Amino acid sequence: MLEKPYHILIIDDDEGMCEFLESVVEAEYGQDIKITVSSSSKDAIRLVETDRYNIILTDLNMPRFSGYNIVKQAHERNKSIQVIFLTGDLQISVAMTCFRDGAAALLTKPMEPAKLINAMNLCVKRLDIWYDVLNK
């Protein structure tokens, strides 16, 4: 079941980056998106096992669990989840893997807020299409 407001999980082991990402998303979407933030990949694994998210915005490289592993876990519960990966170290092979597995976007850090908003708009547009189909 797809319900509004959409729910996003923001994951980055850098708390400052989490705060930045949350502020950009909140400024753009306000109450239209429910935001959950985790600066721990271990906590993020627990969150995706206990709650349902429509969008995951995650750093790829983190201690303990990678963003990629967290997304794989989330996909087991929700195949239609939209994913935006973040990385400070872009490698072509990693980018190819992310897009092959359905990522909506792969953004490099540091990033301009406009690039994050563009990626978010793509995710929201995809979710809106599903929402319209499922709620007719």
Side-chain angles (χ1 to χ4, degrees):
M1 181 72 154
L2 187 58
E3 298 176 358
K4 290 187 178 183
Y6 300 136
H7 194 177
I8 183 171
L9 176 59
I10 297 172
I11 313 160
D12 198 303
D13 57 318
D14 177 342
E15 289 186 21
M17 180 59 75
C18 282
E19 291 171 6
F20 166 74
L21 297 169
E22 181 180 21
S23 70
V24 171
V25 171
E26 191 171 52
E28 182 69 17
Y29 294 99
Q31 299 300 313
D32 293 336
I33 295 213
K34 180 180 173 186
I35 303 170
T36 300
V37 178
S38 177
S39 60
S40 161
S41 62
K42 182 179 177 184
D43 289 344
I45 287 285
R46 181 185 50 78
L47 288 168
V48 298
E49 290 174 348
T50 59
D51 208 346
R52 189 171 179 91
Y53 299 93
N54 306 107
I55 303 169
I56 292 182
L57 172 57
T58 183
D59 187 8
L60 268 171
N61 302 309
M62 294 180 287
R64 198 146 179 139
F65 300 103
S66 72
Y68 187 79
N69 288 337
I70 295 167
V71 167
K72 282 177 67 176
Q73 185 84 16
H75 271 146
E76 290 179 16
R77 297 194 66 216
N78 179 4
K79 299 285 186 206
S80 65
I81 198 163
Q82 299 297 302
V83 179
I84 302 170
F85 284 114
L86 308 172
T87 185
D89 181 29
L90 182 60
Q91 298 172 4
I92 297 301
S93 61
V94 172
M96 290 174 60
T97 299
C98 291
F99 286 118
R100 181 195 71 217
D101 291 345
L106 174 61
L107 304 175
T108 56
K109 296 193 259 183
M111 80 194 72
E112 299 171 20
K115 289 187 179 186
L116 174 57
I117 295 304
N118 286 340
M120 284 291 300
N121 286 341
L122 174 63
C123 292
V124 169
K125 188 174 287 191
R126 288 177 174 179
L127 291 168
D128 283 344
I129 290 169
W130 277 107
Y131 183 85
D132 289 346
V133 168
L134 295 172
N135 292 298
K136 284 198 175 206

